[in-house]
Amino acid sequence: MSAVSDNPLLDFTDLTHFDRITPADVEPAIRHLLDTASTTLATLEAADTPATWDDFVIPMTEATEHLGRAWGVVGHMHSVMDTPQWRAAYNDLLPEISGFYAELGQNEALYGKYRALHDSAEYANLSPVRQRIIDHELRDFRLSGAELPEAQKPRFKAISEEQSALGAKFSENLLDATNAFAEWVTDEAELAGLPEDVVAAARAAAEKEDRPGWKFTLQAPSYVPVMQYADSARLREVMYRANGTRASEHGKPEWDNGPIIGRLLALAAEEAKMLGYASYAELSLVPKMADSPEHALSFLRELGVKAKPYAERDLAELKAFAAKELGIAELNPWDMGYASEKLRQARYAFSENEVRQYFPEPRVLDGLFGVIESLYGVQLSHDRAAVWDPSVKVLRIERAGQLIGQLYLDLHARDTKRGGAWMDSARNRQRSGSRLLTPVAYVVCNFSPPVGDKPATLTHDDVVTLFHEFGHALHHLLTEVDEVAVSGIHGVEWDAVELPSQFMENFCWEWDVLSGMSAHVNTGEPLPRELFDKMLAARHFQSGMQMVRQLEFSLFDLRLYHEVDATQPVPIDTVLSLLEDVRKEVAVTKTPAWHRFPLSFSHIFAGGYSAGYYSYKWAEVLSADAFAAFEEAGEGRGSLLDAATGQRFWREILAVGGSRPALESFIAFRGREPQVDALLRHSGMLEAA
């Protein structure tokens, strides 16, 4: 254990010392920072501390900034290096961290200082950015219970602490249940249809445990190819059932997320009621763009009406193909991915695995860097810094030779890493006196690692995911706002935060982009134009089914937090019944009664998207319309990498971060309010409008 004086978690001079930090450093570092922050806040509460920007807001921000950064490192390690030691270090301090922020949010004296500043003559003379920060602070204090009677504040704090603990437990249960399953194949005939690299990875996994045959797991690089390519219906069914019942009553009782969901819903409802809202969904939408749950629900249902006929057509075509060409008379859920891939190959004469060979990871990264450099006038290069795993890369972004941000890139799946892909901030841009602290971000994915001496290869979906997460990172790193509270992604409305990420996805369908970032893993040949044209023709393949699937998730989330009576812990049967009701409205496929999707829906139970999953579709309208500006600028030029439009997008969207309302930023870029037509066109459904 490091003493406070040399604890690497307390060194904020530069990038984090991931080579030195251990779980034993967490407790002394975090306790020291909690004590330091508490002492500063006690001074700021005092009546003789003036309620001014310089005397109050700046030290208030600095009081928690180091604590937030250090705890961010601990939370990051809990996500990417979830060993028993890191899990214990995180969970042991989580109640104290949650308690500290809950008490801070309820602190009536600090809230009063912000109110006094808002009502003072100084407020009118502050910049619009600083006025926005004060307005947000007042809102957030109200939503954190600062106006509650003193007798109710302990209960409100206890709710916050329990929510944090349950969210962490939800993720841990899901990871443990995922890692606990393995399907061992000893009959080589069951490998028919699987790509060579998937088989090689399964063999390597078995060899690692000194076992014969092949090991398949629920980690995405193993699970997804089985569902897509394995000719063995038995293998697909076993994997599908295991994946669909993770962290449920079908496994270890201590990993069952059902009771956690019920308790989280009850806590959310209690929190909302204490603050005077009819549902948690109403509370959740206060800082978002959507006016109300009804507004968001109406938006989703309008899309559903347009998308469902396309989804029904997609399913009918798939069923007919499966019956005629594959001999699958009844299409089971574990047949869907397999039959869809076969239909794609038959209709467009290519497979996802064929495309994958043209996207070796180093080449994709070089191509991605080229897009970013062309659009935003920056330069990306590899940097040297301590990392938590040898596969992690560090990048630096410069403009005119000046460092403007750095990025940790952790791309490969590991059994100590939670699933999915995400971006998170490691450090915010901020100016302290004459010193500028540049922003730092994490981008984390779960792609297949390299096998043998060949580089890792990415599916086109992986490429899209990488561009998506880099969009988030660029939002954080290319900011020019110096105030921490609204720098980068901070202060951006939750239902607009996906705009830059979904915007970046569109470039993955442009010939001048893909052709420049492809090289066959064996021959080095670029992606053939003929193959790209097939990919483009298949772009809207089953887009109807894909859209209603996302609408299903979004409607389920909003209705769960808006309509379900959660005055007591909600039984899992109630949750499943609501999901089935949503499916009757928008879904076109049947899900088995034993499937337990909600128990692995981390976004809304452990990832901050509670009553906010609709944001993906909401922001997709913004992103599609924003990308249309590049289509208009590039018309007839053969390239959409238009530097002038890119500079405008950077200046009006990325650079301003959360310093003004997202709608104002969009209008400043586009010259008008967003229109849904671009999304429908990008989804191949414009004629339904």
Side-chain angles (χ1 to χ4, degrees):
M1 181 184 299
S2 302
V4 167
S5 59
D6 63 353
N7 190 310
L9 262 177
L10 296 176
D11 184 351
F12 300 104
T13 55
D14 201 0
L15 297 181
T16 302
H17 297 285
F18 285 109
D19 54 338
R20 292 174 48 208
I21 291 172
T22 69
D25 297 317
V26 173
E27 192 267 347
I30 298 303
R31 287 196 190 283
H32 171 75
L33 292 169
L34 283 168
D35 290 344
T36 302
S38 296
T39 300
T40 302
L41 294 177
T43 302
L44 295 177
E45 288 177 21
D48 57 354
T49 298
T52 66
W53 184 270
D54 289 342
D55 295 311
F56 174 68
V57 178
I58 290 178
M60 174 82 176
T61 302
E62 292 174 347
T64 56
E65 201 272 331
H66 280 178
L67 174 62
R69 272 165 63 186
W71 184 248
V73 171
V74 179
H76 174 72
M77 294 300 286
H78 180 246
S79 296
V80 299
M81 196 60 67
D82 192 5
T83 62
Q85 295 82 7
W86 272 109
R87 180 177 293 187
Y90 177 82
N91 285 321
D92 286 351
L93 269 297
L94 182 60
E96 292 191 47
I97 286 287
S98 302
F100 171 82
Y101 282 107
E103 286 184 7
L104 174 59
Q106 294 180 357
N107 190 308
E108 200 165 351
L110 296 174
Y111 178 40
K113 289 285 174 72
Y114 275 109
R115 283 203 313 267
L117 177 54
H118 180 271
D119 295 339
S120 72
E122 181 186 0
Y123 178 85
N125 296 318
L126 291 174
S127 68
V129 172
R130 290 184 172 182
Q131 289 180 350
R132 181 170 169 81
I133 291 171
I134 293 169
D135 294 345
H136 280 187
E137 289 290 349
L138 292 174
R139 177 199 68 197
D140 294 344
F141 268 105
R142 286 193 293 270
L143 297 182
S144 297
E147 294 181 341
L148 289 174
E150 287 301 318
Q152 293 183 23
K153 287 184 177 180
R155 176 59 196 151
F156 197 87
K157 177 188 173 188
I159 289 172
S160 176
E161 292 175 3
E162 190 175 355
Q163 286 170 327
S164 296
L166 290 174
K169 182 62 174 163
F170 187 100
S171 292
E172 292 167 3
N173 287 349
L174 185 57
L175 180 62
D176 290 344
T178 299
N179 288 338
F181 175 84
E183 177 66 9
W184 296 90
V185 173
T186 54
D187 181 0
E188 192 167 1
E190 281 217 294
L191 305 176
L194 288 171
E196 288 181 13
D197 59 335
V198 176
V199 173
R203 181 72 199 107
E207 287 175 345
K208 190 176 179 181
E209 298 189 34
D210 235 1
R211 293 273 299 265
W214 299 265
K215 179 186 180 183
F216 293 94
T217 72
L218 299 180
Q219 297 284 351
S222 181
Y223 176 77
V224 173
V226 167
M227 302 311 298
Q228 199 169 9
Y229 298 110
D231 292 338
S232 169
R234 185 209 70 82
L235 180 59
R236 297 197 308 270
E237 181 178 1
V238 167
M239 297 287 283
Y240 177 85
R241 183 179 288 268
N243 190 66
T245 55
R246 287 178 299 164
S248 73
E249 75 275 20
H250 298 292
K252 285 189 176 183
E254 61 267 32
W255 293 344
D256 184 1
N257 275 339
I260 290 179
I261 289 175
R263 183 63 182 154
L264 282 170
L265 292 172
L267 291 169
E270 185 180 358
E271 176 189 0
K273 184 178 180 182
M274 290 180 75
L275 292 174
Y277 294 94
S279 71
Y280 182 79
E282 283 191 5
L283 168 59
S284 172
L285 265 61
V286 171
K288 296 181 171 72
M289 290 179 73
D291 296 334
S292 65
E294 290 75 20
H295 183 192
L297 286 166
S298 174
F299 163 75
L300 294 170
R301 285 177 166 137
E302 182 181 354
L303 281 180
V305 168
K306 292 178 167 69
K308 193 167 184 179
Y310 288 87
E312 290 169 338
R313 184 190 66 189
D314 290 342
L315 182 61
E317 291 173 348
L318 186 62
K319 283 182 173 180
F321 173 82
K324 182 179 179 182
E325 304 297 336
L326 305 178
I328 302 176
E330 182 180 352
L331 204 61
N332 290 304
W334 49 88
D335 301 323
M336 295 291 293
Y338 176 74
S340 294
E341 178 59 25
K342 293 294 187 186
L343 175 56
R344 185 205 307 272
Q345 293 178 27
R347 182 177 291 176
Y348 304 106
F350 78 95
S351 73
E352 288 279 13
N353 191 56
E354 178 188 359
V355 172
R356 178 186 196 134
Q357 307 312 309
Y358 287 96
F359 293 115
E361 183 183 295
R363 185 76 172 186
V364 170
L365 287 174
D366 287 345
L368 171 59
F369 296 173
V371 169
I372 295 168
E373 291 173 351
S374 297
L375 291 178
Y376 305 125
V378 296
Q379 299 78 45
L380 285 87
S381 60
H382 290 274
D383 210 346
R384 294 177 62 86
V387 293
W388 53 92
D389 185 87
S391 67
V392 176
K393 299 175 175 65
V394 183
L395 309 175
R396 64 189 285 116
I397 304 180
E398 296 176 327
R399 177 178 278 115
Q402 294 293 313
L403 177 68
I404 59 174
Q406 288 158 290
L407 173 70
Y408 293 98
L409 194 57
D410 185 354
L411 295 181
H412 303 141
R414 296 187 297 274
D415 58 9
T416 57
K417 188 197 234 181
R418 69 175 169 92
W422 67 92
M423 170 269 168
D424 204 355
S425 61
R427 187 174 76 194
N428 303 331
R429 176 182 164 113
Q430 57 184 298
R431 192 176 295 277
S432 179
S434 61
R435 184 181 179 227
L436 175 66
L437 204 59
T438 54
V440 183
Y442 306 111
V443 164
V444 184
C445 300
N446 271 277
F447 301 150
S448 298
V451 178
D453 57 358
K454 286 187 177 181
T457 56
L458 307 186
T459 67
H460 187 252
D461 281 347
D462 290 340
V463 175
V464 171
T465 296
L466 183 63
F467 271 61
H468 178 104
E469 300 306 335
F470 256 81
H472 283 308
L474 292 171
H475 200 183
H476 185 65
L477 298 173
L478 299 188
T479 186
E480 290 207 318
V481 179
D482 294 337
E483 307 288 357
V484 173
V486 290
S487 170
I489 60 174
H490 297 280
V492 178
E493 296 95 321
W494 195 263
D495 40 8
V497 81
E498 297 293 334
L499 161 58
S501 54
Q502 292 173 335
F503 162 79
M504 282 292 290
E505 293 181 21
N506 291 287
F507 289 102
C508 300
W509 294 100
E510 296 301 317
W511 170 246
D512 61 319
V513 172
L514 282 193
S515 59
M517 62 191 294
S518 64
H520 195 281
V521 69
N522 293 324
T523 68
E525 291 295 313
L527 181 75
R529 179 68 199 226
E530 181 185 11
L531 180 53
F532 170 76
D533 288 340
K534 293 175 182 177
M535 293 167 60
L536 204 57
R539 180 178 182 180
H540 302 311
F541 177 63
Q542 296 185 343
S543 62
M545 286 203 297
Q546 291 169 16
M547 182 173 283
V548 297
R549 182 73 168 142
Q550 286 298 306
L551 293 174
E552 175 187 320
F553 297 162
S554 301
L555 285 165
F556 167 67
D557 167 47
L558 260 181
R559 291 185 59 191
L560 186 66
Y561 282 102
H562 188 50
E563 299 175 9
V564 170
D565 179 9
T567 51
Q568 298 294 328
V570 180
I572 194 61
D573 287 348
T574 300
V575 176
L576 295 172
S577 176
L578 174 68
L579 179 56
E580 187 58 32
D581 190 48
V582 170
R583 285 172 174 158
K584 287 176 183 175
E585 180 179 355
V586 293
V588 296
T589 56
K590 189 75 175 167
T591 304
W594 46 258
H595 201 283
R596 294 293 182 267
F597 163 72
L599 282 67
S600 62
F601 198 2
S602 296
H603 275 77
I604 71 168
F605 297 119
Y609 276 85
S610 310
Y613 196 84
Y614 78 92
S615 300
Y616 282 100
K617 279 298 166 204
W618 186 279
E620 202 172 342
V621 171
L622 305 177
S623 66
D625 199 348
F627 187 73
F630 287 80
E631 293 174 318
E632 293 159 10
E635 193 170 356
R637 293 177 57 244
S639 174
L640 301 190
L641 297 177
D642 182 67
T645 310
Q647 285 292 304
R648 202 169 78 251
F649 185 80
W650 164 64
R651 189 172 61 250
E652 302 294 358
I653 303 287
L654 303 180
V656 298
S659 66
R660 67 183 178 194
L663 183 59
E664 285 185 20
S665 294
F666 182 91
I667 293 172
F669 169 68
R670 203 68 175 99
R672 56 166 173 74
E673 293 198 1
Q675 298 172 354
V676 76
D677 284 6
L679 171 59
L680 296 171
R681 177 167 55 82
H682 283 198
S683 304
M685 289 183 273
L686 184 59
E687 60 267 36

